[in-house]
């Protein structure tokens, strides 16, 4: 796991990384599409702003399929705070991409377990995730893998913790009772199969979770620590988010190359 501490915009750096990977992808008969896993949330808004800009400047998503990390259970797809709506509003309505290239879990499926199983299968059939982009929760969650989630979990139905419900209330007029309590999410095991992982973190609220990411031993209380054993994970953090990480860690991480 590598730390990329930056004074630049975290969304811009991450969008630039995606651009480079998509541009250099060579489509073959066996692997026709670049598989990109995409997040929602406040941190992702900047990322999509730049990705839209790059697409307007000529970046093509013709050979890309996307899989969103998660979706609330039971929230109507057209609800303004559903992740379907978020993705349309922030990315898909502004770039050239067909419906068939977009995959988002259906939180209103008649059988949620089957929906999760099929999603996992579909990712596999596309040859697995090439690049996973995620945010991080204050409690160290990735997607909706809350503290206590199994490190080998696949796409599943998850209960949200009170911490996450409180953090997401800002998207529901500050009303905790409006926030769904369950979600469908890729599992930590799903994420670990991705060839590359980028986790974006901005602001002081994320500094404690990043402290655990880098300074703690692997443990399920801090789901982010699963990535310590992933061979190509980059945590892209601004100064405030990286504030609790030790000097030693920062020096060691300074050696890695990011945008290449
Ligand atoms: P945020 O969420 O970008 O809205 O802070 C990130 C997350 O909870 O994964």
């Amino acid at each position: 796991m590598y730390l990329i501490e930056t004074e630049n915009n975290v969304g811009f750096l991450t969008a630039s990384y995606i651009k480079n990977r998509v541009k250099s992808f060579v489509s073959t008969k066996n692997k026709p599409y670049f598989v990109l896993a995409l997040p929602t949330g406040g941190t992702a808004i900047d990322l999509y702003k730049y990705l839209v800009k790059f697409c307007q400047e000529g970046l093509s998503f013709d050979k890309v399929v996307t899989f969103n990390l998660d979706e609330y259970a039971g929230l109507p797809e057209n609800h303004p705070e559903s992740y379907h709506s978020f993705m349309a509003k922030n990315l898909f309505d502004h770039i050239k991409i067909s419906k068939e290239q977009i995959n988002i879990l259906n939180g209103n499926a008649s059988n949620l377990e089957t929906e999760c199983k099929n999603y996992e299968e579909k990712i596999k059939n596309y040859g697995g995730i090439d690049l996973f982009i995620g945010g991080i929760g204050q409690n160290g969650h990735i997607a909706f893998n809350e503290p206590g989630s199994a490190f080998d979990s696949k796409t599943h139905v998850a209960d949200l913790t009170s911490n996450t419900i409180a953090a997401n209330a800002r998207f529901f007029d500050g009303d905790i009772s409006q926030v769904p309590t369950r979600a469908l999410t890729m599992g930590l095991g799903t994420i670990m199969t991705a060839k590359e992982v980028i986790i974006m973190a901005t602001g002081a609220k994320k500094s404690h979770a990043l402290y655990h990411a880098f300074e703690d031993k692997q443990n399920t209380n801090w789901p982010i620590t699963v990535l310590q054993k992933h061979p190509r994970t980059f945590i892209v953090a601004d100064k405030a988010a990286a504030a609790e990480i030790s000097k030693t860690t920062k020096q060691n991480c300074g050696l890695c190359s990011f945008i290449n």
Side-chain angles (χ1 to χ4, degrees), residues 178-246:
Q178 300 289 313
V179 186
T181 56
R182 291 198 310 157
L184 284 65
T185 180
M186 285 183 189
L188 294 176
T190 319
I191 299 167
M192 286 298 281
T193 63
K195 291 190 189 82
E196 294 190 299
V197 174
I198 295 181
I199 300 294
M200 303 178 293
T202 59
K205 278 188 181 159
K206 305 296 170 69
S207 65
H208 196 58
L210 287 202
Y211 165 81
H212 283 277
F214 285 98
E215 310 295 341
D216 201 356
K217 288 199 186 74
Q218 264 205 328
N219 70 92
T220 53
N221 289 334
W222 290 92
I224 183 72
T225 60
V226 72
L227 290 168
Q228 289 173 357
K229 296 228 168 89
H230 186 277
R232 261 186 88 77
T233 286
F234 301 100
I235 310 273
V236 185
D238 66 10
K239 296 271 169 202
E244 288 185 47
I245 300 167
S246 73

Side-chain angles (χ1 to χ4, degrees), residues 65-252:
V65 288
T66 66
F67 282 86
N68 265 83
L69 313 190
D70 46 20
E71 176 59 287
Y72 290 117
L75 196 65
E77 207 171 287
N78 63 1
H79 187 285
E81 294 306 331
S82 79
Y83 290 170
H84 279 79
S85 298
F86 179 100
M87 290 308 293
K89 181 176 155 205
N90 289 289
L91 182 66
F92 297 138
D93 282 355
H94 311 285
I95 67 172
K96 193 174 152 282
I97 188 164
S98 71
K99 275 209 172 81
E100 292 67 39
Q101 291 165 269
I102 297 170
N103 298 280
I104 306 180
L105 283 152
N106 176 5
N108 295 289
S110 53
N111 186 326
L112 296 180
E113 274 75 26
T114 307
E115 171 69 11
C116 292
K117 202 164 155 268
N118 292 344
Y119 202 69
E120 192 77 29
E121 203 57 35
K122 200 166 181 189
I123 294 172
K124 234 185 247 165
N125 290 342
Y126 272 112
I129 299 167
D130 292 292
L131 178 56
F132 174 100
I133 313 291
I136 179 171
Q138 293 171 44
N139 63 2
H141 73 208
I142 322 172
F144 275 124
N145 293 281
E146 300 282 32
S149 303
F151 277 1
D152 61 356
S153 57
K154 298 295 180 189
T155 303
H156 63 285
V157 183
D159 292 321
L160 276 52
T161 60
S162 51
N163 178 303
T164 299
I165 292 171
N168 287 5
R170 70 198 142 121
F171 300 120
F172 293 83
D173 299 325
D175 181 356
I176 284 183
S177 72
Q178 300 289 313
V179 186
T181 56
R182 291 198 310 157
L184 284 65
T185 180
M186 285 183 189
L188 294 176
T190 319
I191 299 167
M192 286 298 281
T193 63
K195 291 190 189 82
E196 294 190 299
V197 174
I198 295 181
I199 300 294
M200 303 178 293
T202 59
K205 278 188 181 159
K206 305 296 170 69
S207 65
H208 196 58
L210 287 202
Y211 165 81
H212 283 277
F214 285 98
E215 310 295 341
D216 201 356
K217 288 199 186 74
Q218 264 205 328
N219 70 92
T220 53
N221 289 334
W222 290 92
I224 183 72
T225 60
V226 72
L227 290 168
Q228 289 173 357
K229 296 228 168 89
H230 186 277
R232 261 186 88 77
T233 286
F234 301 100
I235 310 273
V236 185
D238 66 10
K239 296 271 169 202
E244 288 185 47
I245 300 167
S246 73
K247 264 195 190 140
T248 323
T249 300
K250 288 183 181 178
Q251 274 156 6
N252 291 341

Side-chain angles (χ1 to χ4, degrees), residues 7-28:
E7 284 181 15
N8 291 323
N9 183 293
V10 166
F12 173 75
L13 273 188
T14 307
S16 304
Y17 197 89
I18 295 172
K19 179 173 83 172
N20 289 349
R21 282 291 179 264
V22 168
K23 273 173 82 174
S24 59
F25 174 70
V26 181
S27 170
T28 63

